[in-house]
Amino acid sequence: MWWMMNEGGGHYCSKKSDDICGDVCGQESSRLSMSRIRCILRGIDFKTYIFVFVMIPTCIFGIYLHGQKISYFLRPLWESPPKPFHDIPHYYHENVSMETLCKLHGWGIREFPRRVYDAVLFSNEVDILTLRWQELYPYITQFVLLESNSTFTGIPKPMVFASNRDQFKFVEPRLTYGTIGGRFKKAENPFVEEALQRVALDQLLKIAGITDDDLLIMSDVDEIPSRHTINLLRWCDDIPQVLHLRLKNYLYSFEFLVDNNSWRASVHRYQTGKTRYAHYRQSDEILADAGWHCSFCFRHISEFIFKMKAYSHNDRVRFSHYLNPKRIQRVICKGADLFDMLPEEYTFKEIIGKMGPIPHSYSAVHLPSFLLENADKYKFLLPGNCIRESG
């Protein structure tokens, strides 16, 4: 004990008192606390001051800026990887008969092909929708599209497809188009609105006339199955009831190949009362090399900004400068991440391996034929054309 009360009520200094705190002894009790603080501060060296008043605030600010990165980097510690898919090898050559192709996959050949329905929720992806429908056109029985006047995040949006419907006259005889009013609940989890729109798409499919054993493609607009994949599945017998499609995963254009691991797209043999339109894992079976996923593949910078604010992961826009058009353009040409995030992987090896910008690819082989046939119009999707229009 550094000090004690003597019998007369004054202060008594212990012989063990050090020099630094010596002036505390004999002071009034009301002043003792401040004196003790000054005493403690006098005993702290300069390095400790730097640590307390510089390093700690800097660390707190760093966590504020990069906390999401830290969380993603440590993901392997708190989340296990999902169960691996069973990959089905994909065989194709234009000069090989359909009977042989079905046989190579372990399937039989049908006497006539199944009907195929392609159903999507539409936001504002006019260019990618054109590419998708042109690729699939020869084999689709009915194109089904649902559009809302609200984003998943509750932001009002124009009816973009309705305004551009003239561009899609080539599918008009086979088009079932529906609209749904938004609820505009901005504070609500965006995935709630997304789920409700997918339920409405189930109803629109019934209006389109889908029946048992028809094929139903479930995927976002930018997840495009290849033409020959759909033709294979409509002609082959005994294919899985639900089959996911492994797509080549691109970002911004076909110049930036991320990996070959996009898996959410799926094809279903429709079952009345059982098949529900969804965008999550519904099977362990996946067909390799079945198409392309081109995420954030827009012509205009304004489209990037709209999607960043509108889609279900809008919480990734943590700072307003992320939406700066000049920054977005720099990020696109660099092949970096719009949200300044680390890769969403489950092992440190995969996270470290994918850190940094995506390497540029200069291959335009095995891309949708309509894209190459109309390269001048869609050059922003091809290697070497990263500059986007400002409108």
Side-chain angles (χ1 to χ4, degrees):
M1 194 170 196
W2 293 106
W3 58 272
M4 298 176 62
M5 295 292 292
N6 65 16
E7 293 180 359
H11 290 90
Y12 169 75
C13 284
S14 167
K15 292 181 180 180
K16 294 184 180 180
S17 297
D18 54 30
D19 292 333
I20 293 176
C21 295
D23 62 347
V24 174
C25 301
Q27 296 184 40
E28 295 296 330
S29 59
S30 61
R31 299 176 58 193
L32 186 57
S33 296
M34 290 302 298
S35 298
R36 288 291 296 168
I37 293 173
R38 288 196 297 270
C39 167
I40 292 170
L41 293 177
R42 285 169 56 192
I44 298 176
D45 60 22
F46 183 68
K47 292 181 179 179
T48 306
Y49 275 114
I50 293 177
F51 179 78
V52 172
F53 294 107
V54 178
M55 295 303 295
I56 291 180
T58 300
C59 290
I60 293 173
F61 184 66
I63 291 173
Y64 170 71
L65 287 179
H66 302 293
Q68 193 175 58
K69 286 186 177 180
I70 295 171
S71 174
Y72 272 76
F73 186 78
L74 298 178
R75 186 179 189 179
L77 299 179
W78 52 266
E79 187 171 356
S80 299
K83 178 184 176 182
F85 280 99
H86 171 240
D87 282 86
I88 299 175
H90 190 169
Y91 301 93
Y92 172 73
H93 191 281
E94 58 187 9
N95 293 328
V96 177
S97 70
M98 186 57 68
E99 183 177 3
T100 300
L101 290 174
C102 290
K103 183 178 179 181
L104 285 169
H105 290 85
W107 303 325
I109 184 77
R110 294 170 56 88
E111 293 183 4
F112 54 89
R114 294 182 180 86
R115 301 194 307 168
V116 184
Y117 286 72
D118 181 42
V120 293
L121 294 177
F122 182 80
S123 178
N124 67 326
E125 313 96 326
V126 173
D127 289 311
I128 290 296
L129 181 67
T130 303
L131 206 65
R132 177 194 183 94
W133 281 359
Q134 289 284 358
E135 173 69 15
L136 297 176
Y137 181 80
Y139 306 127
I140 301 300
T141 306
Q142 196 74 201
F143 295 94
V144 182
L145 183 144
L146 180 68
E147 183 173 27
S148 175
N149 62 347
S150 167
T151 68
F152 295 153
T153 53
I155 300 173
K157 63 173 282 291
M159 305 297 275
V160 178
F161 181 83
S163 300
N164 292 274
R165 191 163 179 169
D166 285 347
Q167 297 184 33
F168 300 96
K169 288 182 179 179
F170 67 99
V171 302
E172 196 67 42
R174 294 189 245 162
L175 175 63
T176 300
Y177 171 61
T179 61
I180 181 173
R183 298 176 304 130
F184 305 106
K185 295 185 177 182
K186 293 185 179 181
E188 188 176 59
N189 187 322
F191 290 100
V192 174
E193 180 67 29
E194 181 177 348
L196 290 172
Q197 290 190 25
R198 294 191 189 279
V199 170
L201 192 52
D202 280 328
Q203 301 304 313
L204 192 60
L205 279 163
K206 294 176 182 178
I207 295 172
I210 195 168
T211 58
D212 286 350
D213 208 43
D214 290 341
L215 290 187
L216 171 59
I217 303 172
M218 295 187 189
S219 69
D220 286 349
V221 171
D222 58 7
E223 297 167 338
I224 307 172
S226 62
R227 181 181 298 178
H228 66 79
T229 295
I230 298 306
N231 195 34
L232 175 77
L233 296 177
R234 76 191 192 114
W235 270 106
C236 295
D237 217 354
D238 304 318
I239 66 172
Q241 195 71 43
V242 178
L243 180 63
H244 281 275
L245 305 179
R246 191 178 293 284
L247 311 178
K248 291 182 179 179
N249 201 14
Y250 293 90
L251 187 64
Y252 310 140
S253 73
F254 292 102
E255 179 173 349
F256 298 104
L257 176 60
V258 180
D259 54 35
N260 295 298
N261 296 327
S262 178
W263 57 266
R264 291 185 179 274
S266 58
V267 176
H268 299 240
R269 290 166 56 191
Y270 190 82
Q271 292 180 287
T272 303
K274 291 185 178 181
T275 303
R276 294 288 182 270
Y277 197 97
H279 198 235
Y280 48 77
R281 182 166 175 171
Q282 302 176 72
S283 168
D284 293 334
E285 306 287 328
I286 191 166
L287 182 64
D289 199 7
W292 314 269
H293 179 192
C294 200
S295 184
F296 280 88
C297 292
F298 297 117
R299 182 188 299 270
H300 302 100
I301 293 293
S302 59
E303 295 175 287
F304 285 86
I305 295 172
F306 176 81
K307 182 167 182 177
M308 291 172 74
K309 296 190 295 184
Y311 86 140
S312 297
H313 297 287
N314 72 317
D315 59 310
R316 295 176 178 178
V317 184
R318 294 177 295 128
F319 306 105
S320 59
H321 74 271
Y322 282 9
L323 301 175
N324 181 281
K326 292 182 179 179
R327 174 191 176 271
I328 291 173
Q329 181 62 80
R330 288 195 304 271
V331 168
I332 294 168
C333 287
K334 190 178 179 181
D337 190 272
L338 282 170
F339 305 100
D340 195 24
M341 292 174 56
L342 291 180
E344 298 182 73
E345 300 294 346
Y346 295 93
T347 68
F348 290 115
K349 180 180 179 181
E350 291 174 326
I351 292 173
I352 294 172
K354 289 186 177 181
M355 287 176 65
I358 305 164
H360 294 254
S361 168
Y362 298 98
S363 172
V365 178
H366 301 305
L367 296 182
S369 59
F370 182 79
L371 171 60
L372 300 181
E373 291 165 354
N374 297 271
D376 288 342
K377 183 177 181 180
Y378 297 100
K379 65 180 182 180
F380 70 95
L381 292 174
L382 295 171
N385 297 279
C386 69
I387 301 300
R388 294 299 189 264
E389 298 177 23
S390 58

